[in-house]
Amino acid sequence: MLYRWEQVASILKNCNGYSLLDGLVALSILTLLSSGALPIYVQLYEERMSIQTRKEAIHLLDQYWNDFVLNNVVPPKQEIVEGTEFYLTETPNGLCISYNEEKKDELLICRSLPHE
C-alpha cells in the first residue's frame, strides 16, 4: 500500500507546470466564452444608446412644453442634439416630439396640454 502512494507522489513531483496542450485548451475555452459574450455586450450598448436618446427627447419635450404652456413660446420645428434630429409638432391636444432611431421606426412621444 505504501508503495503505491510513493509511486503516485513521485509522478506528481515530476510535473514541472502546464504543458502546451493545457495552455491551448484553456485559451480555446476562453475564446469560446468571450465570443459568446461579445454579441450580448454590443446589444446592451445599443440599448443604452437608445435609452439615452429617448431620455433626451423627453427632456426636450418637457422643456418646450413648459415654455409653450407657461410663456406662450412656440417651439421650433426641429432641434438637433448630438447628431440626432428631433421634430416638434403641435397638435390640438398637445405637443409631440419625434425622432428616427437606427434600425427602428420613427418614435413619437406626446404630452397633452392642460385643460382650462
Side-chain angles (χ1 to χ4, degrees), residues 44-58 99 101 104 107:
L44 287 174
Y45 182 78
E46 288 174 355
E47 283 296 319
R48 180 179 175 217
M49 291 296 115
S50 173
I51 291 170
Q52 182 87 15
T53 307
R54 186 175 178 89
K55 282 173 57 177
E56 187 64 39
I58 292 170
Y99 63 97
E101 279 194 36
K104 292 185 180 179
L107 295 173

Side-chain angles (χ1 to χ4, degrees), residues 16 101-102 114 116:
N16 293 328
E101 279 194 36
E102 294 179 15
E116 295 182 24

Side-chain angles (χ1 to χ4, degrees), residues 53 60 78-88 97-100 106:
T53 307
L60 280 173
Q78 180 182 7
E79 179 82 23
I80 299 175
V81 178
E82 296 179 6
T84 305
E85 295 180 8
F86 297 99
Y87 301 100
L88 290 139
I97 190 165
S98 63
Y99 63 97
N100 288 326
E106 182 180 42

Side-chain angles (χ1 to χ4, degrees), residues 69-115:
V69 171
L70 300 175
N71 302 329
N72 293 328
V73 176
V74 178
K77 299 292 180 192
Q78 180 182 7
E79 179 82 23
I80 299 175
V81 178
E82 296 179 6
T84 305
E85 295 180 8
F86 297 99
Y87 301 100
L88 290 139
T89 55
E90 278 184 64
T91 63
N93 298 334
L95 191 62
C96 296
I97 190 165
S98 63
Y99 63 97
N100 288 326
E101 279 194 36
E102 294 179 15
K103 303 177 185 174
K104 292 185 180 179
D105 293 334
E106 182 180 42
L107 295 173
L108 181 68
I109 303 169
C110 293
R111 186 165 179 192
S112 62
L113 294 175
H115 300 292

